[in-house]
Amino acid sequence: MRSNVAKKRLESKTTSSVASRPYRIEEQVGYLLRRAHQRASSIFQVGIGDPNITPTQYSSMVKLNEYNELSQNLLGRLVGMDKATMQGVVRRLKERGLVDSRPDPGDARRTLLSLTTEGNRLVAKLLLNGPAVSRETLKPLNQQEQRQLLDLLSKIA
């Protein structure tokens, strides 16, 4: 019984000391994720091999390269983009001549997307740089920490 009383006192002290600590934005998950994202985006822009390709465009091109042809809707789901963002990404890729579209013969409401010859050429070049971008982004961490970070991010993504 005595240990339960001591335990409750310790819990009370811990709770009150945490509650009395000032709020620090630098310790908040959203702030830290945003800062990590800024760093990753900067490394991506410098290292991917085309300063005009954004991470969202890159991920879309990689998926189109992997599947050859996808509906715009499915591509958006595969890369985790909402419909409006996906439309903007596809529009910009089409304007650059990297992606082509055609109506789905089985469903006129759907648009099928594929890489153009130029898109295939560019994504092949960019894919060579992708692993180096990831290595540079994770460089401050040892291998165990890198794996742990990726596992944890996968759980909340």
Side-chain angles (χ1 to χ4, degrees):
M1 181 150 203
R2 192 166 228 210
S3 66
N4 283 344
V5 171
K7 186 178 176 182
K8 285 184 180 183
R9 283 184 187 153
L10 179 61
E11 287 174 357
S12 176
K13 284 183 181 180
T14 304
T15 304
S16 65
S17 68
V18 170
S20 65
R21 282 185 59 208
Y23 178 87
R24 293 187 44 85
I25 192 70
E26 298 85 2
E27 296 172 353
Q28 305 309 308
V29 65
Y31 176 87
L32 292 168
L33 286 171
R34 182 179 59 78
R35 293 294 306 267
H37 179 262
Q38 288 172 329
R39 182 174 181 278
S41 294
S42 176
I43 291 167
F44 175 89
Q45 286 308 137
V46 169
I48 200 62
D50 184 328
N52 297 314
I53 289 291
T54 66
T56 54
Q57 292 171 350
Y58 174 72
S59 61
S60 298
M61 291 178 69
V62 168
K63 281 299 177 189
L64 285 172
N65 182 64
E66 181 181 342
Y67 287 92
N68 293 320
E69 187 174 63
L70 290 167
S71 72
Q72 185 168 316
N73 188 294
L74 180 55
L75 177 59
R77 289 195 311 269
L78 290 172
V79 296
M81 282 186 247
D82 61 79
K83 186 176 178 179
T85 302
M86 192 72 246
Q87 286 175 339
V89 167
V90 168
R91 181 178 38 77
R92 286 185 289 281
L93 290 172
K94 286 174 72 175
E95 287 170 357
R96 283 193 62 189
L98 301 172
V99 168
D100 200 8
S101 65
R102 70 181 181 95
D104 184 338
D107 184 348
R109 297 169 296 171
R110 289 193 326 179
T111 300
L112 297 176
L113 304 171
S114 60
L115 293 171
T116 63
T117 302
E118 179 63 19
N120 278 307
R121 184 199 63 72
L122 180 60
V123 80
K125 173 186 160 191
L126 300 179
L127 282 169
L128 295 174
N129 299 327
V133 168
S134 291
R135 279 192 306 275
E136 183 64 25
T137 302
L138 295 171
K139 195 175 187 176
L141 307 174
N142 66 40
Q143 283 192 337
Q144 181 184 353
E145 291 169 330
Q146 290 177 16
R147 185 74 256 150
Q148 186 179 20
L149 175 64
L150 294 174
D151 288 344
L152 292 171
L153 288 173
S154 293
K155 282 185 174 184
I156 64 173

